[in-house]
Amino acid sequence: SPLACFSDFTEMMRALGYPRLISMENFHTPNFMLVSEVLLWLVKRYEPQADIPPDVETEQDRVFFIKAVAQFMATKAHIKLNTKKLYQADGYAVKELLKITSVLYGAMNTKGVERADLSEEDGSKFKFDLGSKIADLKAARQLASEITSKGATLYDLLGKEVELREARTESIARPLEINEAEKMMKVAIDCVLEEVQKTKDMLNNVALDEANLEAKIEKRKLELERSQKRLQTLQSVRPAFMDEYEKIEEQLQKQYSIYLEKFRNLTYMEQLLDDHRRTEQEMFEETANMLRLMQSRLKEEERHLLKSGNNDDSDVEIQEDERSDSEVEDRQVMKQRTAPETLLQG
């Protein structure tokens, strides 16, 4: 499983002495920097004098780095690496890295065992790891059971040797009879002849099957030719409703062109109507704004007149002036209101 592979990889890297801790979260997303660092460390661990360029900044540098590492491991350690998975730098790259780490880890274990054997020659010759010898133990147990069974059968046969010895000596001492040998030879010849006859019958059956298949093939060919001729005749004959279909198709093209023209006119008229409504709305807003301005102006004038405190005559004149001004303004407002109505009527 991928989890077991990753746990083995982390344990092997820790045993080999990698300075950093590697967790499974580092490979959830592509992490090319970590993969390149691990690859370079493994190559240096395998051969310290290896010349591998450590630049992995650009895409071209990364491709060159992966190719160089794969070529080095293939030529030096005979380890075939999948460059695509290494370039992905995710969980699939761990399986490729595990190939190199397993080789280095195995070499380290073999060296450790040899050193232990050399240092503990006295009293440790018969000590071995049972966990690594389970398969050998199973094979030895199976061989032991087979040896016991074979020994029992051999013992039984040796017990019958006394009786079988007499029968064997009698058969050897008895002279060879030509008639019995002839009979046995005839029986063997008859068996061979029967087998030959069976093979001949099978060959004849094969020939008959071949003839039947050829007849079926010829029949299918004739049917195919007839169907092709019928297809050609059907393609050459013009259907009775084809003329009517062509006329209806022409009418459909005309109707479609008329429909397109009306649709364009309708959209154009709708656009004009929208523009007219927009201008009308703008005119109404302008008139409303003008009325508000005029009202505010009148209020300011009234306040100014009230503050001035002039005589009654002046008040009368002011009222007449206000009436005249209001009449002028009312006339302007009526003109502005009648303008959009005339536009709508038009």
Side-chain angles (χ1 to χ4, degrees):
S1 62
L3 187 60
C5 292
F6 188 80
S7 62
D8 294 337
F9 174 70
T10 53
E11 290 177 2
M12 289 180 184
M13 291 296 289
R14 194 181 299 113
L16 290 171
Y18 188 69
R20 287 178 56 185
L21 292 175
I22 300 172
S23 64
M24 193 173 183
E25 295 177 358
N26 297 129
F27 295 95
H28 282 171
T29 58
N31 192 352
F32 192 85
M33 299 302 293
L34 180 59
V35 172
S36 62
E37 183 180 353
V38 171
L39 280 172
L40 191 60
W41 187 83
L42 290 172
V43 169
K44 294 293 183 183
R45 183 65 186 269
Y46 189 85
E47 187 175 347
Q49 289 80 20
D51 187 11
I52 302 295
D55 296 328
V56 289
E57 294 295 328
T58 62
E59 182 179 358
Q60 189 175 1
D61 293 335
R62 292 180 179 181
V63 172
F64 184 73
F65 174 80
I66 293 294
K67 285 183 178 179
V69 171
Q71 187 176 1
F72 174 82
M73 298 309 296
T75 55
K76 297 292 183 180
H78 301 287
I79 298 171
K80 186 178 181 181
L81 299 174
N82 192 340
T83 55
K84 290 183 180 179
K85 291 182 179 179
L86 285 174
Y87 192 80
Q88 287 177 3
D90 53 3
Y92 291 101
V94 176
K95 294 182 180 180
E96 303 300 320
L97 294 172
L98 189 60
K99 296 177 181 178
I100 307 171
T101 53
S102 60
V103 173
L104 294 173
Y105 184 73
M108 186 182 70
N109 287 335
T110 53
K111 287 182 181 179
V113 171
E114 289 175 359
R115 289 173 184 174
D117 290 337
L118 291 172
S119 62
E120 298 179 359
E121 287 182 354
D122 48 348
S124 63
K125 292 181 179 178
F126 300 102
K127 292 180 182 180
F128 57 93
D129 189 5
L130 291 175
S132 63
K133 302 291 183 180
I134 291 173
D136 296 337
L137 288 172
K138 288 181 179 179
R141 191 176 297 169
Q142 186 177 1
L143 288 172
S145 62
E146 288 179 358
I147 288 167
T148 54
S149 62
K150 294 289 179 66
T153 53
L154 183 60
Y155 179 76
D156 295 333
L157 292 173
L158 288 173
K160 295 177 182 179
E161 176 62 22
V162 178
E163 296 176 359
L164 294 173
R165 188 185 297 166
E166 295 177 357
R168 187 170 61 249
T169 53
E170 287 179 359
S171 62
I172 291 170
R174 189 175 58 186
L176 183 61
E177 294 181 0
I178 297 172
N179 294 326
E180 291 181 359
E182 188 177 356
K183 286 179 182 179
M184 295 299 292
M185 291 297 292
K186 285 181 180 179
V187 171
I189 290 166
D190 292 335
C191 292
V192 173
L193 290 173
E194 286 180 0
E195 290 180 357
V196 171
Q197 188 63 34
K198 286 180 182 178
T199 53
K200 286 182 179 179
D201 294 336
M202 290 174 68
L203 289 171
N204 292 327
N205 291 328
V206 169
L208 291 172
D209 293 336
E210 187 177 358
N212 292 327
L213 289 172
E214 287 180 355
K216 287 181 181 179
I217 290 167
E218 291 294 332
K219 187 177 179 181
R220 296 292 182 184
K221 284 182 179 179
L222 293 172
E223 290 178 358
L224 179 63
E225 289 178 358
R226 284 198 296 269
S227 61
Q228 286 178 352
K229 289 180 181 179
R230 187 177 179 185
L231 178 63
Q232 290 176 359
T233 54
L234 289 173
Q235 288 177 353
S236 61
V237 174
R238 186 180 176 83
F241 58 84
M242 200 66 190
D243 297 334
E244 186 178 0
Y245 172 77
E246 290 178 354
K247 290 179 182 179
I248 293 170
E249 191 174 5
E250 290 178 358
Q251 292 177 2
L252 179 63
Q253 292 291 334
K254 292 178 182 178
Q255 293 293 330
Y256 183 70
S257 62
I258 293 167
Y259 165 74
L260 287 177
E261 186 177 358
K262 289 183 178 180
F263 184 77
R264 286 197 296 270
N265 292 331
L266 180 62
T267 53
Y268 178 69
M269 296 298 289
E270 288 177 352
Q271 187 180 0
L272 288 177
L273 182 60
D274 292 336
D275 295 337
H276 181 69
R277 287 176 179 173
R278 195 180 298 109
T279 54
E280 184 180 2
Q281 186 67 27
E282 290 176 356
M283 291 177 69
F284 282 142
E285 289 177 357
E286 288 179 359
T287 54
N289 292 328
M290 289 177 67
L291 286 171
R292 290 193 196 95
L293 292 172
M294 291 169 68
Q295 288 175 0
S296 63
R297 192 181 300 163
L298 288 171
K299 287 178 181 179
E300 288 178 357
E301 289 178 357
E302 287 177 358
R303 289 173 185 173
H304 182 69
L305 291 172
L306 289 171
K307 288 178 181 179
S308 61
N310 292 331
N311 294 329
D312 294 335
D313 295 335
S314 61
D315 293 335
V316 172
E317 290 176 359
I318 288 166
Q319 289 178 0
E320 289 177 356
D321 293 335
E322 287 177 355
R323 287 177 184 175
S324 61
D325 293 335
S326 62
E327 287 176 359
V328 172
E329 289 174 355
D330 292 336
R331 287 175 185 175
Q332 290 178 356
V333 170
M334 289 299 292
K335 287 181 181 180
Q336 289 176 356
R337 287 183 179 177
T338 52
E341 292 178 358
T342 55
L343 286 171
L344 287 171
Q345 290 176 2

